[in-house]
Short mmCIF file of all heavy atoms in Angstrom, two decimals:
data_model
loop_
_atom_site.label_atom_id
_atom_site.label_comp_id
_atom_site.label_asym_id
_atom_site.label_seq_id
_atom_site.Cartn_x
_atom_site.Cartn_y
_atom_site.Cartn_z
N TRP A 78 6.15 2.03 -7.85
CA TRP A 78 5.71 3.28 -7.48
C TRP A 78 6.18 4.38 -8.24
O TRP A 78 5.32 5.24 -8.83
CB TRP A 78 6.16 3.67 -5.97
CG TRP A 78 5.46 2.86 -4.87
CD1 TRP A 78 4.47 1.97 -5.04
CD2 TRP A 78 5.59 3.16 -3.42
NE1 TRP A 78 4.02 1.64 -3.86
CE2 TRP A 78 4.58 2.28 -2.82
CE3 TRP A 78 6.33 4.08 -2.68
CZ2 TRP A 78 4.45 2.32 -1.42
CZ3 TRP A 78 6.09 3.98 -1.36
CH2 TRP A 78 5.21 3.16 -0.67
N LEU A 79 7.43 4.46 -8.60
CA LEU A 79 8.06 5.46 -9.50
C LEU A 79 7.37 5.39 -10.80
O LEU A 79 7.08 6.43 -11.45
CB LEU A 79 9.53 5.35 -9.58
CG LEU A 79 10.33 5.56 -8.20
CD1 LEU A 79 11.70 5.07 -8.35
CD2 LEU A 79 10.22 6.95 -7.67
N ALA A 80 7.27 4.19 -11.40
CA ALA A 80 6.83 4.01 -12.74
C ALA A 80 5.35 4.46 -12.81
O ALA A 80 4.94 5.00 -13.93
CB ALA A 80 7.02 2.59 -13.22
N ALA A 81 4.74 4.29 -11.88
CA ALA A 81 3.20 4.72 -11.79
C ALA A 81 3.12 6.25 -11.66
O ALA A 81 1.95 6.74 -11.83
CB ALA A 81 2.50 4.13 -10.70
N GLY A 82 4.10 6.94 -11.33
CA GLY A 82 3.96 8.42 -11.26
C GLY A 82 4.20 8.96 -9.88
O GLY A 82 3.93 10.14 -9.63
N MET A 83 4.52 8.19 -8.80
CA MET A 83 4.88 8.70 -7.57
C MET A 83 6.19 9.29 -7.72
O MET A 83 7.22 8.70 -8.26
CB MET A 83 4.86 7.62 -6.59
CG MET A 83 3.48 7.08 -6.15
SD MET A 83 3.41 5.52 -5.29
CE MET A 83 4.06 6.08 -3.70
N ASP A 84 6.25 10.60 -7.38
CA ASP A 84 7.30 11.55 -7.87
C ASP A 84 8.20 12.00 -6.74
O ASP A 84 7.79 12.84 -6.07
CB ASP A 84 6.68 12.62 -8.65
CG ASP A 84 7.64 13.59 -9.19
OD1 ASP A 84 8.98 13.35 -8.99
OD2 ASP A 84 7.19 14.55 -9.91
N PRO A 85 9.51 11.60 -6.73
CA PRO A 85 10.33 11.87 -5.62
C PRO A 85 10.70 13.38 -5.64
O PRO A 85 11.19 14.00 -4.66
CB PRO A 85 11.53 11.06 -5.75
CG PRO A 85 11.52 10.68 -7.22
CD PRO A 85 10.15 10.67 -7.69
N LYS A 86 10.35 14.11 -6.63
CA LYS A 86 10.59 15.57 -6.64
C LYS A 86 9.44 16.35 -5.97
O LYS A 86 9.62 17.31 -5.39
CB LYS A 86 10.70 16.12 -8.13
CG LYS A 86 12.00 15.65 -8.70
CD LYS A 86 12.27 16.48 -10.07
CE LYS A 86 13.23 15.88 -10.96
NZ LYS A 86 12.66 14.75 -11.70
N ARG A 87 8.20 15.72 -6.10
CA ARG A 87 7.08 16.40 -5.56
C ARG A 87 6.73 15.95 -4.11
O ARG A 87 6.18 16.44 -3.33
CB ARG A 87 5.81 16.36 -6.33
CG ARG A 87 5.94 16.99 -7.62
CD ARG A 87 4.92 16.23 -8.63
NE ARG A 87 3.53 16.87 -8.38
CZ ARG A 87 2.37 16.18 -8.79
NH1 ARG A 87 2.53 15.13 -9.44
NH2 ARG A 87 1.37 16.72 -8.53
N SER A 88 7.32 14.62 -3.94
CA SER A 88 6.84 13.99 -2.64
C SER A 88 8.13 13.46 -1.97
O SER A 88 9.09 13.35 -2.60
CB SER A 88 5.94 12.70 -2.96
OG SER A 88 4.77 13.21 -3.64
N ILE A 89 7.98 13.00 -0.74
CA ILE A 89 9.02 12.28 -0.19
C ILE A 89 8.78 10.81 -0.26
O ILE A 89 7.70 10.44 0.25
CB ILE A 89 9.18 12.84 1.38
CG1 ILE A 89 9.64 14.26 1.41
CG2 ILE A 89 10.20 11.90 2.15
CD1 ILE A 89 9.80 14.72 2.91
N ILE A 90 9.77 10.11 -0.83
CA ILE A 90 9.54 8.63 -0.97
C ILE A 90 10.81 8.03 -0.30
O ILE A 90 11.76 8.36 -0.65
CB ILE A 90 9.50 8.25 -2.44
CG1 ILE A 90 8.11 8.95 -2.98
CG2 ILE A 90 9.25 6.67 -2.48
CD1 ILE A 90 8.12 8.76 -4.53
N PHE A 91 10.64 7.16 0.69
CA PHE A 91 11.72 6.58 1.46
C PHE A 91 11.44 5.34 2.15
O PHE A 91 10.27 4.90 1.96
CB PHE A 91 12.21 7.67 2.51
CG PHE A 91 11.31 7.78 3.74
CD1 PHE A 91 11.68 7.34 4.95
CD2 PHE A 91 9.96 8.22 3.63
CE1 PHE A 91 10.85 7.37 6.08
CE2 PHE A 91 9.14 8.32 4.77
CZ PHE A 91 9.65 7.90 6.00
N VAL A 92 12.42 4.72 2.79
CA VAL A 92 12.27 3.45 3.43
C VAL A 92 12.28 3.72 4.93
O VAL A 92 13.23 4.49 5.42
CB VAL A 92 13.44 2.59 3.01
CG1 VAL A 92 13.43 1.22 3.70
CG2 VAL A 92 13.56 2.43 1.55
N GLN A 93 11.36 3.07 5.67
CA GLN A 93 11.12 3.23 7.02
C GLN A 93 12.34 3.30 7.90
O GLN A 93 12.63 4.02 8.82
CB GLN A 93 10.12 2.32 7.49
CG GLN A 93 9.60 2.45 8.93
CD GLN A 93 8.71 1.33 9.27
OE1 GLN A 93 8.63 0.15 8.93
NE2 GLN A 93 7.65 1.59 10.06
N SER A 94 13.18 2.09 7.70
CA SER A 94 14.36 1.95 8.52
C SER A 94 15.36 2.85 8.36
O SER A 94 16.38 2.99 9.14
CB SER A 94 14.95 0.52 8.22
OG SER A 94 15.38 0.39 6.89
N MET A 95 15.31 3.75 7.39
CA MET A 95 16.40 4.72 6.95
C MET A 95 16.24 6.01 7.94
O MET A 95 17.09 6.80 7.95
CB MET A 95 16.30 5.13 5.52
CG MET A 95 16.85 4.15 4.48
SD MET A 95 16.70 4.78 2.92
CE MET A 95 17.67 3.52 1.96
N VAL A 96 15.06 6.10 8.61
CA VAL A 96 14.95 7.21 9.58
C VAL A 96 14.79 6.66 10.97
O VAL A 96 13.73 6.06 11.33
CB VAL A 96 13.67 8.07 9.13
CG1 VAL A 96 13.53 9.23 10.24
CG2 VAL A 96 13.82 8.64 7.83
N ARG A 97 15.96 6.71 11.69
CA ARG A 97 16.09 5.89 12.90
C ARG A 97 15.05 6.50 14.10
O ARG A 97 14.71 5.80 15.00
CB ARG A 97 17.40 5.79 13.42
CG ARG A 97 18.13 4.86 12.55
CD ARG A 97 19.65 4.94 12.83
NE ARG A 97 20.18 6.13 12.50
CZ ARG A 97 21.46 6.27 12.36
NH1 ARG A 97 22.32 5.36 12.63
NH2 ARG A 97 21.97 7.42 12.01
N GLN A 98 14.67 7.73 13.92
CA GLN A 98 13.88 8.33 14.92
C GLN A 98 12.47 7.56 15.15
O GLN A 98 11.87 7.69 16.15
CB GLN A 98 13.42 9.81 14.64
CG GLN A 98 14.63 10.77 14.88
CD GLN A 98 15.41 10.92 13.67
OE1 GLN A 98 15.45 10.07 12.79
NE2 GLN A 98 16.13 12.04 13.72
N VAL A 99 12.09 6.83 14.16
CA VAL A 99 10.76 6.09 14.20
C VAL A 99 10.81 5.05 15.34
O VAL A 99 9.74 4.84 16.03
CB VAL A 99 10.28 5.58 12.83
CG1 VAL A 99 11.05 4.33 12.54
CG2 VAL A 99 8.81 5.38 12.92
N THR A 100 12.00 4.46 15.54
CA THR A 100 12.07 3.48 16.55
C THR A 100 12.02 4.10 17.92
O THR A 100 11.61 3.45 18.86
CB THR A 100 13.30 2.59 16.37
OG1 THR A 100 14.50 3.44 16.48
CG2 THR A 100 13.35 1.87 15.04
N GLU A 101 12.60 5.25 17.93
CA GLU A 101 12.58 5.96 19.19
C GLU A 101 11.10 6.41 19.47
O GLU A 101 10.75 6.22 20.72
CB GLU A 101 13.45 7.24 19.13
CG GLU A 101 13.68 8.01 20.36
CD GLU A 101 14.42 9.41 20.13
OE1 GLU A 101 14.74 9.59 18.95
OE2 GLU A 101 14.53 10.10 21.17
N LEU A 102 10.45 6.97 18.75
CA LEU A 102 9.03 7.41 18.95
C LEU A 102 8.24 6.13 19.29
O LEU A 102 7.45 6.11 20.25
CB LEU A 102 8.55 8.18 17.83
CG LEU A 102 7.16 8.80 18.12
CD1 LEU A 102 7.13 9.68 19.35
CD2 LEU A 102 6.60 9.58 16.88
N HIS A 103 8.51 5.01 18.53
CA HIS A 103 7.73 3.80 18.84
C HIS A 103 7.98 3.37 20.37
O HIS A 103 6.94 3.15 21.05
CB HIS A 103 8.31 2.67 18.07
CG HIS A 103 7.89 1.29 18.39
ND1 HIS A 103 8.69 0.45 19.21
CD2 HIS A 103 6.78 0.66 18.20
CE1 HIS A 103 7.97 -0.59 19.32
NE2 HIS A 103 6.87 -0.59 18.77
N THR A 104 9.11 3.55 20.81
CA THR A 104 9.39 3.04 22.18
C THR A 104 8.72 4.03 23.22
O THR A 104 8.07 3.59 24.16
CB THR A 104 10.97 3.16 22.61
OG1 THR A 104 11.58 2.18 21.78
CG2 THR A 104 11.21 2.86 23.98
N ILE A 105 8.77 5.31 22.88
CA ILE A 105 8.07 6.35 23.77
C ILE A 105 6.52 6.03 23.69
O ILE A 105 5.87 6.10 24.79
CB ILE A 105 8.48 7.71 23.44
CG1 ILE A 105 9.97 7.91 23.67
CG2 ILE A 105 7.64 8.79 24.13
CD1 ILE A 105 10.61 9.23 23.18
N LEU A 106 6.03 5.81 22.60
CA LEU A 106 4.54 5.69 22.49
C LEU A 106 4.14 4.37 23.12
O LEU A 106 2.96 4.33 23.55
CB LEU A 106 4.17 5.70 21.09
CG LEU A 106 4.17 7.05 20.29
CD1 LEU A 106 3.71 7.05 18.86
CD2 LEU A 106 3.53 8.19 21.00
#
Side-chain angles (χ1 to χ4, degrees):
W78 279 10
L79 295 168
M83 292 167 66
D84 179 0
K86 292 199 195 70
R87 299 161 75 198
S88 304
I89 293 179
I90 302 173
F91 75 110
V92 180
Q93 186 182 34
S94 63
M95 288 179 170
V96 177
R97 286 172 293 194
Q98 283 90 336
V99 78
T100 61
E101 182 185 2
L102 186 57
H103 167 264
T104 299
I105 292 172
L106 293 180

